[in-house]
């Protein structure tokens, strides 16, 4: 029997589709309360956040994660109910099994074991949980960070339990993430009849050379920690739906995933220069959802890689690939942030699952990490 596996099952059984927490954080809080954790509920809109801290002195080590999950999709495509955890063929199935209720369960049991073994440990250990990571992420971790900053509560080390492993537990940790900058570009033309193009100005034709240049531009070459910045069109729309009408405007949705070799401001300026040079009548609405962050090798990365190797025998690769996470908010008040969790191959998929054999080793890695930083 595995205490961590049992808790993971309990969490999966709560249908916490973002932003609904469905009682997950209350379950965690009731486990931590008897151990002397100071519990703080930080609610914002429909979102539940939990800040649970044991100890008052630095250094402060934070275990951060989310209790919300993405919708399960068509239930009939699942072999079993996504919110009724099922063990099958050595795997635990259910929505959130990999992303990231197993990590939350491992956080809890690791913290419990650490405090019981070291009731007078140096420094502090805290859990930060939100139900707004899979959603718009405006009422979740960012709100807790704002509260901590307002009262000058500094985090020294943070591990985010995102599913970072690729082929087996421990093969990859993330020590940074790229930034994310989105734009909604409108190119204006003149609507008209396709039989009289001289009386119209087709914004698709006008914008095509500029879009081709944007797609071909080398924004930067990256650096030793990050791949080069990329620009991608995610949606393009023009026209009324009729085949005989030249559209009056073109709408293009695009996104930059950018490294520390560029800034949001420099990318915006280069886009403006290209559009202006092509003589377009244009407007852009910008949305910066994440700044890039990087944790250099130091106490946290070294302690985590050592703990992984002790438990699994695996030498972890340190990587900055992938999308965004709540680490981007925590990095604003914490100098060392890393992400580590289970294999991510099934996240957001039908029949999401985690290898049962990886559940207790994950908790043991977190426990050893706490020991190296605080014991």
């Amino acid at each position: 029997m595995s205490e961590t596996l049992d808790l993971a099952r309990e969490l999966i059984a709560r249908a916490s589709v973002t932003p609904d927490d469905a009682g997950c954080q209350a379950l965690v809080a009731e486990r931590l309360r008897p151990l002397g954790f100071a519990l703080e509920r930080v609610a914002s809109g429909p979102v539940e956040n939990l800040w649970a801290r044991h100890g008052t002195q630095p250094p402060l080590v934070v275990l951060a994660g989310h209790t919300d999950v993405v919708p399960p999709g068509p239930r009939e495509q699942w072999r079993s109910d996504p919110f009724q955890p099922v063990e099958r063929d050595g795997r635990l199935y259910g929505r959130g099994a990999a992303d990231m209720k197993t990590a939350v369960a491992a956080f809890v049991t690791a913290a419990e074991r650490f405090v019981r073994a070291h009731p007078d440990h140096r420094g502090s250990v805290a859990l930060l949980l939100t139900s707004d990571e899979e959603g718009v992420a405006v009422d979740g971790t960012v709100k807790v960070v704002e509260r901590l900053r307002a009262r000058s509560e500094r985090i020294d080390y943070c591990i985010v339990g995102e599913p970072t492993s690729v082929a087996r537990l421990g093969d990859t940790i993330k020590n940074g993430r790229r930034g994310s900058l989105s734009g909604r570009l409108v190119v204006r033309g003149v609507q008209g009849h396709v039989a009289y193009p001289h009386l119209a100005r087709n914004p698709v034709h006008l914008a095509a050379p500029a879009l081709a240049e944007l797609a071909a531009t080398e924004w930067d070459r990256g650096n030793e920690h990050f791949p080069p910045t990329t620009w991608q069109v995610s949606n393009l729309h023009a026209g009324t739906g009729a085949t005989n009408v030249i559209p009056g405007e073109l709408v293009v949705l695009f996104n930059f995933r950018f490294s520390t070799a560029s800034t949001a401001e420099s990318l915006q300026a280069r886009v403006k220069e290209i559009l202006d040079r092509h003589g377009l009548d244009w407007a852009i609405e910008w949305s910066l959802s994440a700044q890039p962050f990087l944790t250099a090798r130091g106490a946290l990365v070294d302690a985590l890689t050592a703990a992984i190797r002790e438990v699994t025998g695996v030498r972890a690769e340190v990587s900055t690939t992938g999308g965004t996470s709540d680490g981007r908010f925590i990095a604003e008040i914490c100098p060392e942030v890393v992400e580590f969790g289970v294999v991510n191959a099934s996240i957001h998929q039908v029949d999401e699952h985690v290898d049962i054999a990886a559940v207790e080793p994950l908790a043991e890695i977190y426990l050893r990490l706490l020991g190296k930083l605080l014991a």
Side-chain angles (χ1 to χ4, degrees), residues 154-238:
R154 182 179 185 273
I155 300 173
D156 297 282
Y157 309 107
C158 177
I159 179 166
V160 184
E162 288 293 336
T164 60
S165 299
V166 177
R168 59 174 297 189
L169 180 68
D171 61 10
T172 307
I173 67 174
K174 302 294 177 76
N175 69 324
R177 293 281 190 166
R178 294 176 296 173
S180 178
L181 174 66
S182 296
R184 182 181 185 272
L185 168 65
V186 177
V187 178
R188 292 178 284 264
V190 175
Q191 183 173 301
H193 196 293
V194 296
Y196 303 95
H198 59 289
L199 300 178
R201 296 179 67 243
N202 193 321
V204 178
H205 297 180
L206 296 171
L211 295 179
E213 182 173 345
L214 289 166
T217 295
E218 180 182 80
W219 303 97
D220 58 48
R221 296 184 178 181
N223 52 40
E224 62 179 316
H225 303 291
F226 289 93
T229 292
T230 61
W231 181 85
Q232 289 290 318
V233 171
S234 56
N235 189 279
L236 188 148
H237 176 75

Side-chain angles (χ1 to χ4, degrees), residues 29 59 100 134 142 201 204 220 241 265 302 342 360 368 373:
M100 56 176 288
E134 298 289 9
V142 65
R201 296 179 67 243
V204 178
D220 58 48
E265 293 76 17
D302 291 346
V342 298
E360 277 301 336
R368 294 196 183 205
L373 296 174

Side-chain angles (χ1 to χ4, degrees), residues 164-173 308-309 311-317 340-345 355 358 361 365:
T164 60
S165 299
V166 177
R168 59 174 297 189
L169 180 68
D171 61 10
T172 307
I173 67 174
I308 291 170
R309 192 167 188 184
V311 175
T312 67
V314 174
R315 186 184 296 275
E317 175 187 350
F340 174 66
V342 298
V343 171
N344 57 27
D355 287 342
I365 291 169

Side-chain angles (χ1 to χ4, degrees), residues 143-347:
K143 295 297 185 183
V144 180
V145 168
E146 289 173 359
R147 180 172 296 193
L148 296 178
R149 182 192 288 113
R151 62 193 188 202
S152 300
E153 197 164 350
R154 182 179 185 273
I155 300 173
D156 297 282
Y157 309 107
C158 177
I159 179 166
V160 184
E162 288 293 336
T164 60
S165 299
V166 177
R168 59 174 297 189
L169 180 68
D171 61 10
T172 307
I173 67 174
K174 302 294 177 76
N175 69 324
R177 293 281 190 166
R178 294 176 296 173
S180 178
L181 174 66
S182 296
R184 182 181 185 272
L185 168 65
V186 177
V187 178
R188 292 178 284 264
V190 175
Q191 183 173 301
H193 196 293
V194 296
Y196 303 95
H198 59 289
L199 300 178
R201 296 179 67 243
N202 193 321
V204 178
H205 297 180
L206 296 171
L211 295 179
E213 182 173 345
L214 289 166
T217 295
E218 180 182 80
W219 303 97
D220 58 48
R221 296 184 178 181
N223 52 40
E224 62 179 316
H225 303 291
F226 289 93
T229 292
T230 61
W231 181 85
Q232 289 290 318
V233 171
S234 56
N235 189 279
L236 188 148
H237 176 75
T240 63
T243 60
N244 61 350
V245 178
I246 293 172
E249 69 176 25
L250 168 69
V251 178
V252 182
L253 304 184
F254 63 86
N255 177 265
F256 282 104
R257 290 302 165 104
F258 64 102
S259 73
T260 51
S262 292
T263 66
E265 293 76 17
S266 69
L267 296 172
Q268 290 173 354
R270 292 182 68 185
V271 169
K272 179 180 184 301
E273 187 278 326
I274 292 171
L275 296 175
D276 284 344
R277 181 156 36 80
H278 284 271
L280 301 178
D281 180 7
W282 63 273
I284 292 182
E285 295 176 2
W286 293 100
S287 175
L288 177 63
S289 59
Q291 292 280 9
F293 72 91
L294 177 71
T295 296
R297 283 194 174 272
L300 182 55
V301 172
D302 291 346
L304 179 56
T305 53
I308 291 170
R309 192 167 188 184
E310 290 169 5
V311 175
T312 67
V314 174
R315 186 184 296 275
E317 175 187 350
V318 180
S319 170
T320 61
T321 60
T324 61
S325 79
D326 277 1
R328 68 191 189 273
F329 304 125
I330 299 167
E332 297 177 9
I333 60 170
C334 178
E336 298 189 43
V337 180
V338 299
E339 303 171 20
F340 174 66
V342 298
V343 171
N344 57 27
S346 68
I347 62 173

